[in-house]
Amino acid sequence: MTTSTTARVLALLEILQGGGTRTVPELAARLGVDERTVRRYVAHLLDLDIPVDAVRGRYGGYRLAPGYRMPPLMLTDEEALAVLLGLLSGQRGGPGAVSGASAAAGESAAAKVRRVLPVALRRRLEALLETADFTDRPRPATPPQAAVLLELAEAVRGRRPVAFAYTDRKGNDSARTVLPYGLVAHSGRWYLTGPGRDGGEMRIFRLDRITSVRPLSGSFEVPDGFDPAATVLDHLSRTPWTHDVSLRVRSSIEYLRDRLPAGVAALSEDGSGDGPGGGSGDGPDGEPGDGTADGPGWVHVRIRAERLDWLPPVLAALDRPFVIERPAELRDLVRALARRLTTYADADADGQPYDGG
């Protein structure tokens, strides 16, 4: 083949890599050749042992055989960057992290991608990976097994019940049968949500605690409007922790949702409007209101936490009137923070208490 022919054959291969069936007229238009030449290019691919299927019929054309793995990878600069950054995220415990046969699976995959990239592109990508830093630190979360994640994904899509072995947070092992409604990645972990096979209470399960997944016969329907992510966040916020914090905040749910950690704080409207602070509502763009009576009402906030020391700064940053219903220990921590802030504000340039002179 000539250089120009080789380039067009590789271009055809890249188009077919995109998936689906491509008609001969479509391929001819994209390659800038006639339909007879397209068929000749397909013959070149077949000579290279690349399995191209011919699909007959009115909407027929050509496609790569399903399941074919084709080295070398043909990636644009942007595609190569997306792949390597995705692998890096997985190695750092991001939502893409899964355990395979080896803990170094991510590094091995990244190395294979680098080997088949053009030298210039590989050099530029390695420069980025070597010099970039990240504000989010690697997560210590245990990733799920790849086989577990993929098996459950098929069950969710096919709406088929599953049975699996599960180890709860206390280390107790049990056999579960679940209708898998959805999979959710949150804060470096994967979760499965759904009720038992006989219906009933909605549950969530950490995938890193699931083993021996087995699809079962039968099928089910997911209720209209079901939101897997919202379900997982709601269940996480209600998980029993050392401290059960109950607050009332004079604000809107939307304002608080943007400022309180999802999966930790459960928010609900509080019909009472007689709390302290009057009508200190949110003003335009979420800024503190002017104290008029038509501002937002009170929002009930429930927070489960192992520690309380992080909460006073968060409440101060809300800049909204609040009432601590429980625990009393949190009131003491808020008062202590207020005293420290007053001391800091009254200090002079040397950090000494300001004497007013």
Side-chain angles (χ1 to χ4, degrees):
M1 292 186 290
T2 65
T3 302
S4 61
T5 299
T6 301
R8 288 194 179 97
V9 170
L10 292 176
L12 170 62
L13 183 55
E14 184 173 1
I15 293 171
L16 295 177
Q17 275 190 278
T21 300
R22 308 291 180 174
T23 65
V24 175
E26 175 190 358
L27 292 172
R30 294 185 62 175
L31 295 173
V33 298
D34 57 35
E35 296 183 11
R36 181 179 179 181
T37 303
V38 169
R39 295 186 178 92
R40 189 168 71 248
Y41 289 169
V42 170
H44 285 314
L45 292 178
L46 292 172
D47 289 341
L48 296 172
D49 293 327
I50 296 175
V52 180
D53 290 341
V55 180
R56 301 186 180 278
R58 180 179 178 184
Y59 301 103
Y62 293 105
R63 68 185 180 191
L64 288 179
Y68 175 63
R69 298 183 178 183
M70 180 172 44
L73 292 176
M74 297 179 61
L75 301 173
T76 65
D77 290 13
E78 293 82 3
E79 290 169 341
L81 178 60
V83 169
L84 288 179
L85 289 181
L87 290 170
L88 181 61
S89 173
Q91 293 171 35
R92 296 173 61 82
V98 292
S99 290
S102 168
E107 294 181 6
S108 174
K112 290 179 180 178
V113 172
R114 289 191 183 100
R115 280 200 298 270
V116 298
L117 293 176
V119 174
L121 176 56
R122 181 172 69 244
R123 185 165 52 243
R124 297 177 68 188
L125 291 175
E126 288 177 346
L128 172 63
L129 298 180
E130 290 172 6
T131 59
D133 200 358
F134 297 81
T135 57
D136 58 323
R137 298 296 97 188
R139 300 180 183 274
T142 303
Q145 292 294 321
V148 168
L149 178 60
L150 296 177
E151 188 74 60
L152 290 175
E154 283 195 317
V156 170
R157 183 175 62 181
R159 298 185 176 181
R160 297 188 58 186
V162 291
F164 53 80
Y166 191 72
T167 304
D168 64 20
R169 61 186 301 183
K170 297 180 180 179
N172 299 319
D173 297 328
S174 61
R176 305 295 182 97
T177 304
V178 174
L179 304 182
Y181 279 10
L183 289 167
V184 178
H186 172 67
S187 294
R189 298 190 189 279
W190 281 95
Y191 296 89
L192 171 71
T193 180
R197 188 170 190 176
D198 297 328
E201 181 183 3
M202 192 65 57
R203 303 293 301 277
I204 69 169
F205 304 90
R206 275 176 41 181
L207 263 64
D208 57 293
R209 295 174 175 168
I210 293 177
T211 58
S212 307
V213 179
R214 179 168 55 90
L216 303 175
S217 60
S219 62
F220 60 89
E221 293 296 326
V222 178
D224 292 338
F226 177 77
D227 187 335
T231 301
V232 168
L233 292 177
D234 179 69
H235 275 67
L236 291 177
S237 69
R238 300 177 190 279
T239 300
W241 298 95
T242 301
H243 300 284
D244 180 10
V245 178
S246 179
L247 307 165
R248 291 170 58 222
V249 182
R250 181 79 175 191
S251 184
S252 64
I253 287 183
E254 291 74 17
Y255 180 86
L256 297 178
R257 186 175 289 126
D258 291 338
R259 290 160 176 81
L260 293 176
V264 174
L267 311 176
S268 60
E269 295 284 358
D270 189 326
S272 60
D274 56 354
S280 179
D282 295 339
D285 301 322
E287 294 299 322
D290 57 7
T292 57
D294 59 352
W298 290 82
V299 175
H300 185 228
V301 181
R302 288 284 301 278
I303 296 175
R304 301 300 213 282
E306 289 295 327
R307 305 188 337 267
L308 296 175
D309 54 349
W310 61 273
L311 266 173
V314 172
L315 295 177
L318 292 178
D319 194 21
R320 295 295 185 272
F322 60 84
V323 177
I324 299 174
E325 296 180 333
R326 65 177 182 271
E329 179 185 352
L330 180 58
R331 295 192 187 95
D332 296 334
L333 293 174
V334 170
R335 293 189 187 102
L337 175 62
R339 289 193 295 269
R340 292 197 302 273
L341 292 176
T342 300
T343 300
Y344 303 152
D346 289 344
D348 60 18
D350 297 324
Q352 300 300 317
Y354 183 63
D355 60 8

